[in-house]
Amino acid sequence: MTEGRSSTPPGSSDGTCVLVIGMHRSGTSAVTGALAQLGVAGPSGDDLIPATASNERGHYESKLLTRIDNQLLHILGGTWSAPPARRPGWELGRRFVGLQPAARRAFENSFPVRPVAWKDPRNCLVLPFWRSVLAPPVAAVLVYRDGLEVAQSLHARSGLNLTHGLALWERYVRTSCADLAGVATFVAEYGRLLEDPSSFCDGLLH
């Protein structure tokens, strides 16, 4: 995984599902918004989570799929702010395999036309399940932001102390990097998007 060109460009028109992967408060909404401006579809219609005070330009997240991600975390014994322990191959367990058909239908309802960009920070923790569900081609944009900046933003938004925020950042980043093995991935630094949006978008396309 390197910043720059990938074997499956995120902005391509080949029917790719682009997973925007990154910790909460890392800039995943901004990156997904940039992909939307490049013509990559987001969640359809009423399924789109509306903008909030903490994210006034929009979250670009699916209501249906966020509920499923929360359900997956609950089954695993955790939440977004208390990541569960995971055993290798957990996604092959009977309860998770049983959820696959419903998850596949939910994804198709949320994203009826490809190429699409799907963003939910919880996917950093449950990506193996979705890799067993989503039809190819699948690519990813891994969004990286300094851990202290993320922790400070989480403190401002959710009241989490900095130690908790830094621990969450480390877990999300480490887990997502491991789970993206084998997926064509473009690593995007959030700071570059802020400094030079035009160059950043050119990088996504190429």
Side-chain angles (χ1 to χ4, degrees):
M1 284 184 290
T2 57
E3 187 173 69
R5 299 191 180 197
S6 70
S7 58
T8 310
S12 65
S13 58
D14 59 1
T16 300
C17 170
V18 181
L19 301 171
V20 180
I21 302 294
M23 171 59 184
H24 299 269
R25 313 307 294 171
S26 287
T28 53
S29 296
V31 171
T32 310
L35 286 168
Q37 292 296 314
L38 295 172
V40 184
S44 61
D46 293 338
D47 186 48
L48 180 66
I49 292 178
T52 61
S54 64
N55 211 333
E56 296 180 354
R57 295 188 178 182
H59 295 270
Y60 297 94
E61 294 181 18
S62 158
K63 296 176 184 177
L64 282 171
L65 301 182
T66 297
R67 284 198 292 268
I68 292 175
D69 277 351
N70 282 327
Q71 182 182 4
L72 294 171
L73 290 171
H74 176 74
I75 294 171
L76 286 166
T79 65
W80 76 266
S81 60
R86 307 183 320 171
R87 296 180 179 178
W90 64 267
E91 70 279 8
L92 303 177
R94 184 172 62 181
R95 295 185 71 180
F96 298 104
V97 172
L99 284 174
Q100 287 180 358
R104 191 172 292 112
R105 288 193 299 270
F107 185 86
E108 291 170 353
N109 287 334
S110 298
F111 298 100
V113 178
R114 289 194 179 199
V116 301
W118 176 29
K119 168 251 175 179
D120 183 354
R122 296 163 187 82
N123 282 338
C124 291
L125 306 175
V126 297
L127 185 58
F129 173 82
W130 290 106
R131 290 189 64 178
S132 73
V133 168
L134 299 177
V138 174
V141 176
L142 177 62
V143 185
Y144 176 85
R145 185 182 184 187
D146 178 80
L148 182 57
E149 292 179 5
V150 169
Q152 290 169 336
S153 184
L154 281 172
H155 176 72
R157 187 197 70 176
S158 304
L160 300 183
N161 64 54
L162 293 184
T163 301
H164 189 178
L166 283 168
L168 284 175
W169 173 84
E170 189 276 337
R171 175 68 179 278
Y172 272 65
V173 172
R174 173 169 50 86
T175 303
S176 58
C177 286
D179 291 344
L180 283 169
V183 178
T185 301
F186 182 97
V187 179
E189 185 181 356
Y190 178 56
R192 284 196 58 217
L193 173 60
L194 298 180
E195 292 170 2
D196 191 349
S198 178
S199 176
F200 183 91
C201 289
D202 286 343
L204 286 178
L205 282 171
H206 301 101

